[in-house]
Amino acid sequence: MAQPELKRELANRHVQLIAIGGTIGTGLFLGSGKAIEKAGPSIMITYLIVGIAVFFVMRALGELLLSKAGYQSFTDIAEDYLGSRVAFITGWTYWFCWIMTAMADVIAVGVYVQYWFDIPQWVPAIACLVVLLGLNLLTVKSFGELEFWFALIKVITILALIGLGVILLIIGFKTDAGSVTVRNLWEHGGFFPNGISGFLFSFQMVVFAYVGVELVGVSAAETADPEKNIPSAINKIPLRILFFYVGALFVLLCINPWTELSPAESPFVKTFTLVGIPIAAGIINFVVLTSAASACNSGMFSTSRILYNLSRNNQASPRLGKLNKNHVPGNSLFISTIVISVGALLSKLIPEQAFGIVTTISAICFIWVWGIVLICHIKYKKTRPDLQAKSKFKAPFTPAINYIVLALFAGILIIMLFAGETRPALLCTPLWFILLFILYSIRSKKGKSNQA
């Protein structure tokens, strides 16, 4: 009996909105408050630098995915160009990345719900996971549809914010903190109020803000027309970065002096409160709540597909490679959801520190995954000139830009080592890679002994 396969039910509108949803999430709506505290108005430059780097990673990933019809994710690419050991470590690390990200999102759900109700953070976090699990167990089309509407809400909100900000700038609106003016970008301690060190220390949270942009690659196996939809989604990333990140932050910082924003709350909610529209502030809080749920939804989707691919490549239990009657990897979904629920436990045990810990670990692991994509692309150019010559979606400025972005990622890891907040997580994360190295070695020895 033939093994059931993942269905290609994601249409172009799903892929486009998944791409947008992947670039607008908890890192922007909640994490930007922490980043602004460190860098002040210069945070816009940080978002621009990391955004450009991520775009080149995506162009490299897009070319690699389309170079061979059989690729379902970048673990397949890593297997081809860097061997089974690196593929094993990268596949499980990417799963771990999204587990950490989804944990951050369920923690954020708890934070946002507290805007209305004085209940423990972990209660709405668990409720969110149960609802999303039920929806993800349905067809992949239901995931795409849910993500489509979640992302649409985010897009409309940021458009409304930017539109409102432009109007307030033109009329010179006055808030309790002063006038809405471009001068707010430099009148409160300068554009770099905390110096270069504050600017550099903001990179970790900004990296976390971009995690998920590569979800377009994970969804490749379930995309109806990957050769058309994937390049279209990737090529729109620069415009989205400029508009949704830099544009939104520009408006926020013109309305609010950066000193008025608290790292503990969403600067988007704070902005509408400061403008004197409390009802709008409540609406925005609902939007950022749906954004966190959306990002968690993406996390559940991606982690289940990663476990499915690992199983199909004999790098995880065969049970994780089974599909339910809706062609969804149900076992993988259950396992991932159980592990993500640890985020709810963290929000109960250490509610103040939980978000910072999981976002740091997530950012570190995503840097590994993005770096592997760039290294695979370098090797692809060197060893497969035949495929590169036929490519209809060539990554620009390679291989030079690959080395430049890799150097930037290395620099960000060094910065994390010097920051007190991120140093413990950075020093602990290598334990994950050591564990995977040992597990791979054990599996390889078992495989050889079975063959003998």
Side-chain angles (χ1 to χ4, degrees):
M1 192 171 176
Q3 168 72 24
E5 298 290 335
L6 296 172
K7 282 192 173 181
R8 292 187 176 272
E9 291 187 331
L10 295 180
N12 183 48
R13 68 186 179 91
H14 295 137
V15 175
Q16 294 294 337
L17 269 293
I18 286 170
I20 294 175
T23 50
I24 307 170
T26 307
L28 176 62
F29 283 126
L30 182 60
S32 57
K34 296 178 183 292
I36 289 168
E37 180 193 34
K38 296 179 185 302
S42 67
I43 192 64
M44 291 186 290
I45 298 176
T46 316
Y47 273 94
L48 193 60
I49 291 171
V50 178
I52 291 168
V54 167
F55 169 66
F56 285 115
V57 172
M58 287 303 298
R59 282 301 302 257
L61 177 59
E63 182 175 4
L64 287 167
L65 278 171
L66 297 175
S67 68
K68 185 176 175 181
Y71 287 150
Q72 294 197 343
S73 73
F74 42 73
T75 51
D76 300 331
I77 296 167
E79 175 103 34
D80 267 7
Y81 292 101
L82 300 175
S84 56
R85 185 189 300 273
V86 174
F88 178 86
I89 292 170
T90 302
W92 278 103
T93 297
Y94 190 59
W95 176 81
F96 187 60
C97 286
W98 267 106
I99 289 292
M100 290 291 111
T101 303
M103 281 185 189
D105 296 322
V106 295
I107 291 167
V109 166
V111 172
Y112 295 143
V113 170
Q114 285 184 326
Y115 179 85
W116 296 295
F117 307 106
D118 186 18
I119 58 176
Q121 285 184 26
W122 65 271
V123 175
I126 290 293
C128 175
L129 280 176
V130 171
V131 171
L132 292 178
L133 174 63
L135 291 169
N136 271 274
L137 284 169
L138 303 176
T139 63
V140 67
K141 192 173 182 180
S142 65
F143 160 77
E145 204 64 40
L146 184 64
E147 200 58 26
F148 174 84
W149 291 107
F150 271 153
L152 199 59
I153 290 170
K154 291 189 263 190
V155 170
I156 291 169
T157 302
I158 294 182
L159 287 173
L161 172 74
I162 292 173
L164 175 66
V166 170
I167 293 168
L168 297 180
L169 269 171
I170 292 170
I171 66 175
F173 187 83
K174 291 188 183 298
T175 70
D176 292 341
S179 297
V180 176
T181 171
V182 178
R183 292 194 299 274
N184 281 332
L185 297 178
W186 60 80
E187 282 191 342
H188 301 272
F191 195 70
F192 292 86
N194 294 323
I196 294 300
S197 61
F199 170 70
L200 293 176
F201 288 151
S202 70
F203 271 85
Q204 174 266 326
M205 188 53 71
V206 174
V207 168
F208 175 73
Y210 284 109
V211 303
V213 67
E214 75 301 311
L215 193 57
V216 175
V218 177
S219 64
E222 294 167 271
T223 301
D225 188 358
E227 291 196 6
K228 177 187 173 186
N229 295 338
I230 290 175
S232 174
I234 290 173
N235 282 336
K236 290 181 177 126
I237 288 173
L239 191 60
R240 288 168 182 155
I241 288 166
L242 263 177
F243 194 79
F244 292 114
Y245 278 98
V246 181
L249 288 169
F250 172 81
V251 167
L252 279 175
L253 293 168
C254 286
I255 296 173
N256 305 278
W258 73 276
T259 50
E260 295 292 320
L261 298 173
S262 166
E265 62 180 334
S266 169
F268 287 79
V269 177
K270 174 71 174 178
T271 297
F272 282 89
T273 305
L274 195 64
V275 169
I277 317 175
I279 295 175
I283 293 170
I284 296 301
N285 193 70
F286 171 75
V287 170
V288 296
L289 172 61
T290 62
S291 171
S294 161
C296 187
N297 187 43
S298 296
M300 292 171 75
F301 171 83
S302 59
T303 50
S304 63
R305 269 55 180 183
I306 295 159
L307 287 184
Y308 171 80
N309 280 322
L310 286 168
S311 175
R312 295 295 297 271
N313 292 330
N314 299 316
Q315 294 176 338
S317 167
R319 292 181 182 181
L320 299 176
K322 291 183 178 179
L323 301 178
N324 65 16
K325 63 181 181 180
N326 297 320
H327 294 257
V328 169
N331 292 342
S332 294
L333 258 172
F334 277 114
I335 293 295
S336 293
T337 305
I338 290 167
V339 181
I340 291 168
S341 66
V342 173
L345 177 64
L346 286 175
S347 67
K348 178 178 171 62
L349 298 176
I350 46 171
E352 301 297 323
Q353 295 84 26
F355 187 77
I357 291 170
V358 297
T359 54
T360 301
I361 295 172
S362 174
I364 294 165
C365 291
F366 267 101
I367 285 174
W368 165 276
V369 172
W370 294 342
I372 291 296
V373 170
L374 293 170
I375 293 167
C376 285
H377 191 269
I378 290 169
K379 195 153 187 189
Y380 154 82
K381 284 203 74 167
K382 284 182 179 177
T383 61
R384 298 304 306 268
D386 54 323
L387 292 179
Q388 221 262 328
K390 292 188 292 185
S391 174
K392 295 178 182 177
F393 191 54
K394 288 184 172 68
F397 312 122
T398 57
I401 195 67
N402 295 32
Y403 290 111
I404 292 169
V405 175
L406 285 168
L408 172 67
F409 289 159
I412 291 171
L413 291 175
I414 292 168
I415 291 165
M416 288 185 187
L417 189 62
F418 286 94
E421 283 182 43
T422 54
R423 189 185 304 117
L426 180 66
L427 294 176
C428 290
T429 305
L431 295 174
W432 168 255
F433 292 98
I434 292 168
L435 173 65
L436 290 179
F437 188 89
I438 293 169
L439 287 174
Y440 179 83
S441 299
I442 292 170
R443 285 180 66 86
S444 294
K445 285 178 182 177
K446 280 185 179 178
K448 287 176 183 177
S449 62
N450 289 338
Q451 287 176 359

